[in-house]
Amino acid sequence: MASSPESHLPLHPLELEVLLVLKKGVSHTYAVVQDIEDRQPDWSRIQPTNMYRRVWRLEEAGLVKAVEAPPEETDRRRNYFAITPLGEAVAAAEAERLRRLLGRALEAGVVLENPS
């Protein structure tokens, strides 16, 4: 029986970031870390053990899958991953969950709609 996207929520923020990077295409884990750190400069350095634990969890859940290295890749020791259709659905469901949460925060006055 296939799981529903909602059954995987909420995602850990790092797991959502991994899915967002892989939505752009196949990548190896170090490139995923670099992409996330470039977009999230306020995050501290992502530890390799934490990243691998998150990627393995995503793989075990069927949200990402290991794939062969692209033909132009020369370092075959790298582990490449791709997002699965379920992973895409989970990322979309998590984004929608966060959008609704932000809406409630705006309504409560916790977040200003147009901070200056």
Side-chain angles (χ1 to χ4, degrees), residues 1 9 28 35 40 48 51 72 86 98 104:
M1 179 174 128
L9 305 183
H28 58 82
D35 189 298
Q40 296 285 0
M51 172 56 84
E72 67 276 4
L86 177 60
L98 293 171
R104 290 193 302 277

Side-chain angles (χ1 to χ4, degrees), residues 41-116:
D42 55 328
W43 284 19
S44 60
R45 186 176 171 282
I46 299 170
Q47 297 299 315
T49 54
N50 191 21
M51 172 56 84
Y52 283 108
R53 181 176 60 245
R54 296 296 172 180
V55 170
W56 289 330
R57 194 199 84 69
L58 292 169
E59 185 177 25
E60 188 174 86
L63 307 184
V64 303
K65 64 181 177 181
V67 295
E68 292 292 321
E72 67 276 4
E73 180 57 49
T74 57
D75 186 352
R76 298 291 175 188
R77 295 172 297 174
R78 290 185 167 158
N79 297 312
Y80 282 80
F81 293 91
I83 192 168
T84 64
L86 177 60
E88 290 185 20
V90 169
E94 178 68 351
E96 178 58 25
R97 184 189 73 80
L98 293 171
R99 188 192 64 74
R100 288 191 313 266
L101 182 61
L102 177 59
R104 290 193 302 277
L106 286 164
E107 288 173 4
V110 175
V111 175
L112 300 177
E113 194 158 340
N114 293 315
S116 16

Side-chain angles (χ1 to χ4, degrees), residues 20-41:
L20 295 176
V21 171
L22 293 179
K23 180 77 169 97
K24 296 186 284 185
V26 170
S27 187
H28 58 82
T29 48
Y30 183 67
V32 171
V33 167
Q34 289 179 313
D35 189 298
I36 294 169
E37 288 179 344
D38 287 348
R39 288 182 298 107
Q40 296 285 0

